[in-house]
Each structure stands twice: as structure tokens, then as C-alpha cells.
């Protein structure tokens, strides 16, 4: 580690930026930022974080019950030593600068969801033992009271980006500059919170080596080049936006154009202008694009179709893509969407091929560096095609641990194989996802949601005695969140009333889209609610 050249950070993703100093890295808010700009800005974030925390602003160390060492406070050498730094930043140049800056300072990046409500944010800050929070000025207000109650320092991104940056004038470490660490790839790098089979989201911890393996696997498989240009409108507290789009592009010397969200008209205009070579989205977005095509006049349809047809690669993921959507998109644009499979814990695991058949409804074969097996309900490895089994994976991209949950981490692996909980079947050389082992996981609009988490909130409603949340098939969302409830006195409760109440505690994408009030629930002999039977309550007659 100490033998690395002075200019090296130890992080190949960051150091590769020096090969592209004058190339555009991010187009954000109408301004083009080069890789040199990104290196300068991320160094400013790193040095200012270190200085702020060296002044004694970080809280006391928080024990990591997984048994591995982690001390939030930095050492005198300017290393944050895996302090958890949370940031609430929209997709932008500033997001990338903050993310890289946290890494360069030796911290663990904890990106927060822009749609999260205060109880959700409080859980992440508390569970992760966050030492510092960053947000742009316009988003600081909603965080102030929360951070004040939790005694967590809160600073604006604008302040931490500009302080001391101008004085340095370059990315090199001068004699008076704060000395940043040269980092081992095995250091923890990022913590993403994902809903699981418990009522509270879990922190998924990845090392720098895990992230690099995820990136290099996709760069090889999808043929990333420095000449690529890609829009980024996906959530940036999610592996899809962080790794598949932003990190793969920056690794390759490509350019990312950021959008605050999926702005349909603006994005279609940029597509028509030939701005992009690669496009990644979730099935819900492709459904919305198809709807836009079908309602547009012939001139707009032609412009958009031409723009999409010229792209070298279009990808769909984070949820199953209906075959009908896949085929309709090909009819409209000439593009064969590439479907892939992944999750927060592994990055991407399987993908349809770049230069061979892309089969609708299938997720292809294991990506470079990924080992896969299917295991049946008896614990036996499935030997041939046509037999379903749970997907179990090995590879350098698989995450390190669930934060502070050593038992859950241990139970999630078997002989070094990660148990995904997804069931698949191999058909003529291509894997096809059949569903989840757990009925308590809902895949909606590209998010993997915990029914148990949503139920935990709904039960706090003063009129709800009992509830069951399930996912029901939906053309737009893949699966829609549906809630069956039993009220205290049997009185009705409307969907809008419930959404208004729950909207203060749950992100919008977690809110029920369908509601039924029942006198009682279908149960087994032990009194347990039968969720497959609850799903039937939402089927059309």
C-alpha cells in the first residue's frame, strides 16, 4: 500500500480519471464537467471532511457488532477509517464529487433516498452510526431537526465543495495540503439499504474490491467505451444507478448526463438529438415510453424512434420485463432490449449477451467472474435444464456483510455461496427468473420492497387492527403493493385516506396502490395468514 505512487489513491475507479483529465465526465445542469474537475472537486470534499472531523465534530465511535473493527473518527494522518458519511444529493456532478470524496478520505459512503420520509432516514442514520451528513442547501432544511436530535453534524455540499479548493489549484498533494490515505481495495466503501425479510431495511456493505469487480464485469460484458454517452435518471441510492450507469461510465472515460428524475419530454428530446449511445431503465419506464410513442404525432414518433435506433445498447433491469413490452419496444424502435439480473448484494449476476440472441423473458448467462448454481428445495444442486432452483452465487462482486447483523450475514451464505432467494430455471442455455422464495418481497417499479416493513407501518394506523401486504401483478409496475386490512370496528377505510396517513412515514413508491377491507383473513391451521390467498382477493372477477 505504501509503495503506491504519490498521486495514487489506491482506488482504480478514481485513479483512472487521470487518464481522461480533459474529457467530459458529467453534463449536469447545463454545465459540462471534465474528469479533471471531478478529481479536483472530490479532493476538496475529502480534505474538507477530514479537516471537519479532525476538529472533533464526529460523535463517539459506534460499535460494529459484526466483529470487525470500525472507528468513525479519523486518525491524525487524515484517514476517516470507515466513518459512515451519509449524503442526500440528487443526480448531478455534485453527487459524483461527494461519493468519490468520501471514498478518497477513507469513509464509507451511505447514499440516502431522496424520497425517504423522516422515519426511514432516521433508521438509516441510526443503524449505520452515521458520523456526518451532507446535502445541498435546498435539502438541508428537512434534515436539520433530525440531525440535531441525533447529534450528527450536517453540512451543505456547496460549503464542503468550495472550501480550500481554489487555494490548491490542482489535484496534486502539495506540502501544506491534507494528506489523504492510499486505500486498500479491501476497505469498506459503500452501504446501501435494502428491504429484506425483516421489518427494517438492512445495510448492505460492499468493499472497494467488490465495487471494482462489479464494474469491470459489466464493462467487459457490455462493451463500455470512452466514446459512450448515457443519461442518468435512476435513483442514486440504488445499485442500478450507482454502479451500472455512473460508475461503469466513469471507469470507461465516458460521459454521463444527469437528470433530477425521469423527465419524459426532456429525455425524449435529448434522445432525438442523438445525445446517447447507451440507455438503461427499469420496465416501468419502458412502459411509459411506449405510452408516449403511442399518443404522439407521427413526426415526434419518427424523431424518437430514430434516436433510439442509433444507440448501441439499451438495457432493462431491476424487475421482470414482460415479453409483450420487450416485443413492442422492438417494433417501435428496432432495439432488442438486453435484460439482466442483479441485486444490491451482488451487483449484476447474469445478463443476456451483447452480440448474440437477447431472449425476451430470460436474463441470460452468468457475467464474467460470476459462478452460479441452482439448488432445489431439498438442498440438492439442480443438474439439468428445466428444473427450478434457488439462484446461489459466488464471485468477487458479492457484498461483504449486512451491517451489524452477523447472524443474518451467516445465514445468507452456504459454503461461500450467497443465497439470493430468487428461483430460476435453465432453458436452452438461458436462465429465466420464476419468482421469489419469500412472498414478503415485492418487486415494484424497479424497487425490491419488504411487505413486512410496509405492514409494520400500516399497523400503527389507529383504525387498523391487522393487515397483510402482498404484491399483485401490474402492467406498469410489474408488481403493485396491495394491502388487505381489518379495521378495529369493521368500518371502511379508503385507499386515499390510508395513503395520506402512511405517506408521512413511507416513501411514495412503498405506498399501497390497492386496498381491500376484510372481516378476517384466510389462515392455516396454526392461524397464520395465507398470503397467496390474500393475493386472490385482488384478482378481477
Amino acid at each position: 500500500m505504501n509503495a503506491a505512487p504519490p498521486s495514487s489513491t489506491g482506488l482504480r475507479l478514481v485513479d483512472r480519471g487521470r487518464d481522461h483529465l480533459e474529457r467530459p465526465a458529467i453534463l449536469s445542469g447545463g454545465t459540462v464537467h471534465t474528469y479533471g474537475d471531478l478529481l479536483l472537486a472530490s479532493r476538496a470534499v475529502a480534505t474538507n471532511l477530514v479537516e471537519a472531523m479532525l476538529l472533533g465534530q464526529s460523535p463517539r465511535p459506534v460499535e460494529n457488532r459484526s466483529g470487525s473493527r470500525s472507528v468513525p473518527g479519523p486518525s491524525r494522518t487524515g484517514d476517516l477509517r470507515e466513518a459512515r458519511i451519509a449524503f442526500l444529493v440528487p443526480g448531478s456532478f455534485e453527487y459524483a464529487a461527494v461519493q468519490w470524496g468520501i471514498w478518497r478520505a477513507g469513509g464509507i459512503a451511505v447514499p440516502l433516498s431522496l424520497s425517504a420520509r423522516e422515519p426511514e432516514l432516521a433508521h438509516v442514520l441510526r443503524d449505520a452510526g452515521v458520523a456526518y451528513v451532507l446535502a445541498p442547501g435546498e435539502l438541508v432544511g428537512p434534515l436539520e431537526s433530525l440531525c440535531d436530535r441525533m447529534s450528527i453534524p450536517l453540512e451543505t455540499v456547496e460549503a464542503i465543495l468550495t472550501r480550500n479548493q481554489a487555494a490548491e489549484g490542482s489535484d496534486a498533494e502539495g506540502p501544506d495540503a491534507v494528506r489523504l490515505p492510499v486505500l486498500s481495495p479491501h476497505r469498506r466503501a459503500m452501504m446501501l439499504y435494502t428491504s429484506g425479510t425483516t421489518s427494517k431495511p438492512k445495510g448492505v456493505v460492499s468493499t472497494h474490491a467488490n465495487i471494482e469487480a462489479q464494474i469491470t464485469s459489466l464493462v467487459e460484458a457490455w462493451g463500455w467505451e470512452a466514446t459512450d454517452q448515457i443519461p442518468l435518471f435512476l435513483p442514486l441510492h440504488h445499485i442500478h444507478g450507482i454502479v451500472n450507469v455512473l460508475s461503469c461510465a466513469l471507469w470507461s472515460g465516458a460521459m454521463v448526463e444527469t437528470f433530477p428524475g425521469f423527465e419524459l419530454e426532456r429525455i425524449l428530446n435529448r434522445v432525438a438529438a442523438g445525445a446517447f449511445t447507451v440507455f438503461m431503465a427499469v420496465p416501468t419506464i419502458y412502459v411509459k415510453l411506449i405510452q408516449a410513442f403511442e399518443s404522439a404525432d407521427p413526426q415526434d414518433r419518427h424523431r424518437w424512434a430514430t434516436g433510439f435506433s442509433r444507440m448501441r445498447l439499451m438495457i432493462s433491469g431491476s424487475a421482470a420485463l414482460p415479453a409483450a413490452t420487450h416485443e413492442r419496444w422492438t417494433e417501435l424502435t428496432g432495439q432488442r432490449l438486453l435484460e439482466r439480473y442483479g441485486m444490491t448484494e451482488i451487483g449484476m449476476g447474469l445478463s443476456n449477451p451483447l452480440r448474440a440472441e437477447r431472449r425476451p423473458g430470460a436474463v441470460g448467462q452468468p457475467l464474467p467472474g460470476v459462478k452460479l448454481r441452482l439448488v432445489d428445495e431439498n438442498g440438492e444442486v439442480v443438474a439439468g435444464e428445466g428444473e427450478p432452483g434457488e439462484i446461489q452465487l459466488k464471485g468477487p462482486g458479492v457484498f461483504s456483510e449486512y451491517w451489524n447483523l452477523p447472524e443474518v450475514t451467516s445465514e445468507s451464505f452456504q459454503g461461500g455461496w450467497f443465497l439470493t432467494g430468487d428461483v430460476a430455471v435453465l432453458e436452452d442455455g438461458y436462465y429465466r427468473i420464476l419468482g421469489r422464495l419469500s412472498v414478503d418481497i415485492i418487486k415494484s417499479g424497479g424497487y425490491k420492497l419488504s411487505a413486512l416493513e410496509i405492514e409494520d407501518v400500516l399497523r400503527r394506523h389507529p383504525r387498523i387492527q391487522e393487515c397483510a401486504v402482498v404484491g399483485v401483478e401490474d402492467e406498469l409496475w410489474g408488481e403493485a403493493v396491495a394491502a388487505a386490512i381489518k379495521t378495529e370496528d369493521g368500518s371502511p377505510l379508503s385507499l386515499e385516506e390510508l395513503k395520506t396517513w402512511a405517506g408521512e412515514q413511507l416513501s411514495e413508491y412503498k405506498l399501497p396502490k390497492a386496498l381491500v377491507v376484510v372481516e378476517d383473513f384466510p389462515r392455516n391451521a396454526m392461524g397464520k395468514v395465507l398470503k397467496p390467498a390474500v393475493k386472490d382477493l385482488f384478482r378481477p372477477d
Side-chain angles (χ1 to χ4, degrees):
M1 185 168 111
N2 294 330
S7 62
S8 173
T9 66
L11 307 177
R12 286 214 293 162
L13 173 59
V14 175
D15 290 342
R16 286 171 65 89
R18 296 189 173 92
D19 297 332
H20 309 285
L21 289 176
E22 301 303 319
R23 288 186 61 83
I26 297 173
L27 170 56
S28 177
T31 301
V32 175
H33 303 269
T34 67
Y35 280 83
D37 295 333
L38 180 56
L39 287 166
L40 253 178
S42 62
R43 178 171 173 77
V45 171
T47 56
N48 290 324
L49 269 176
V50 167
E51 286 183 338
M53 296 183 71
L54 279 172
L55 292 175
Q57 294 178 359
S58 67
R60 64 188 181 190
V62 178
E63 180 185 1
N64 175 8
R65 296 190 298 275
S66 64
S68 48
R69 295 178 59 191
S70 179
V71 183
S75 69
R76 300 304 299 181
T77 60
D79 186 343
L80 295 186
R81 297 173 63 188
E82 297 186 349
R84 275 74 68 203
I85 312 298
F87 57 110
L88 186 70
V89 183
S92 58
F93 170 74
E94 289 75 19
Y95 179 100
V98 167
Q99 182 193 63
W100 279 24
I102 293 168
W103 287 343
R104 295 182 69 176
I108 298 177
V110 186
L112 301 173
S113 168
L114 293 169
S115 60
R117 302 299 187 256
E118 186 174 288
E120 295 169 313
L121 293 171
H123 168 70
V124 171
L125 299 182
R126 185 179 302 109
D127 184 73
V130 165
Y132 216 84
V133 177
L134 298 172
E138 69 270 17
L139 295 180
V140 162
L143 288 168
E144 279 185 317
S145 62
L146 177 61
C147 289
D148 185 59
R149 292 198 305 272
M150 300 182 76
S151 300
I152 301 175
L154 169 65
E155 185 163 14
T156 68
V157 171
E158 294 86 349
I160 208 157
L161 268 171
T162 56
R163 200 165 57 239
N164 299 333
Q165 182 180 353
E168 288 187 43
S170 75
D171 187 52
E173 293 187 8
D176 299 322
V178 172
R179 189 173 184 83
L180 297 175
V182 178
L183 297 163
S184 161
H186 302 293
R187 290 270 293 263
R188 296 184 186 93
M190 185 164 66
M191 194 184 305
L192 303 181
Y193 274 77
T194 179
S195 295
T197 54
T198 60
S199 62
K200 291 293 186 182
K202 303 188 295 290
V204 176
V205 181
S206 298
T207 65
H208 290 289
N210 295 149
I211 295 170
E212 181 176 316
Q214 292 172 13
I215 294 169
T216 54
S217 178
L218 295 183
V219 168
E220 177 184 345
W222 294 345
W224 276 95
E225 300 285 351
T227 52
D228 279 322
Q229 298 177 195
I230 187 170
L232 174 55
F233 45 76
L234 297 168
L236 281 168
H237 65 288
H238 193 282
I239 198 81
H240 193 167
I242 295 171
V243 171
N244 299 18
V245 180
L246 182 63
S247 296
C248 282
L250 295 180
W251 177 278
S252 306
M255 190 186 81
V256 179
E257 182 172 348
T258 64
F259 298 83
F262 183 65
E263 299 178 332
L264 178 66
E265 184 176 351
R266 184 178 162 205
I267 289 167
L268 283 172
N269 285 335
R270 293 292 290 150
V271 168
F276 311 123
T277 64
V278 182
F279 193 93
M280 298 187 195
V282 299
T284 301
I285 285 176
Y286 285 110
V287 171
K288 291 179 179 179
L289 288 169
I290 289 170
Q291 291 171 346
F293 264 85
E294 293 177 340
S295 62
D297 62 52
Q299 185 177 359
D300 282 339
R301 290 181 64 167
H302 176 73
R303 291 191 309 113
W304 301 340
T306 300
F308 280 119
S309 69
R310 290 174 177 169
M311 294 182 192
R312 72 166 189 85
L313 179 61
M314 296 193 70
I315 295 175
S316 178
S318 296
L321 179 72
T325 304
H326 193 293
E327 298 297 348
R328 182 60 176 147
W329 188 252
T330 301
E331 291 172 9
L332 291 168
T333 67
Q335 284 279 359
R336 297 291 287 177
L337 294 173
L338 184 151
E339 294 181 70
R340 83 313 180 269
Y341 164 84
M343 57 196 306
T344 305
E345 289 88 342
I346 64 169
M348 299 301 108
L350 299 99
S351 172
N352 272 267
L354 179 64
R355 296 183 178 88
E357 180 189 3
R358 299 176 190 172
R359 191 175 299 171
V363 292
Q365 296 97 20
L367 283 158
V370 176
K371 295 180 180 179
L372 179 148
R373 69 181 187 182
L374 298 182
V375 177
D376 66 21
E377 58 188 8
N378 299 314
E380 300 294 329
V381 176
V382 173
E385 292 200 354
E387 298 181 48
E390 180 190 17
I391 298 173
Q392 299 184 358
L393 294 170
K394 273 185 180 181
V398 176
F399 77 122
S400 169
E401 64 188 290
Y402 289 116
W403 182 254
N404 280 344
L405 294 171
E407 297 85 2
V408 177
T409 302
S410 177
E411 291 166 0
S412 299
F413 288 86
Q414 188 175 84
W417 294 88
F418 174 63
L419 315 182
T420 67
D422 284 317
V423 178
V425 63
L426 182 63
E427 297 173 335
D428 193 23
Y430 283 61
Y431 287 90
R432 180 167 62 89
I433 306 297
L434 299 179
R436 292 286 301 171
L437 285 174
S438 172
V439 295
D440 291 318
I441 297 297
I442 301 169
K443 288 192 172 182
S444 181
Y447 292 95
K448 189 172 72 173
L449 310 180
S450 168
L452 301 182
E453 178 194 3
I454 299 169
E455 287 169 355
D456 185 57
V457 171
L458 298 188
R459 287 192 193 99
R460 300 174 201 165
H461 191 286
R463 290 174 53 203
I464 293 179
Q465 184 182 90
E466 192 174 1
C467 69
V469 170
V470 295
V472 296
E473 189 174 338
D474 184 271
E475 183 179 347
L476 178 60
W477 302 102
E479 283 188 304
V481 176
I485 64 169
K486 181 180 179 181
T487 57
E488 291 286 355
D489 55 3
S491 62
L493 180 65
S494 74
L495 178 60
E496 287 308 311
E497 286 179 281
L498 183 61
K499 289 171 69 173
T500 299
W501 178 86
E504 297 179 1
Q505 303 171 71
L506 289 171
S507 299
E508 185 175 358
Y509 59 84
K510 298 178 184 178
L511 297 176
K513 294 180 173 63
L515 175 69
V516 63
V517 179
V518 299
E519 292 184 7
D520 201 0
F521 291 93
R523 304 175 189 271
N524 63 14
M526 301 298 292
K528 183 178 180 180
V529 173
L530 298 171
K531 287 205 168 178
V534 172
K535 281 192 175 190
D536 291 337
L537 299 175
F538 296 92
R539 297 189 190 280
D541 294 334

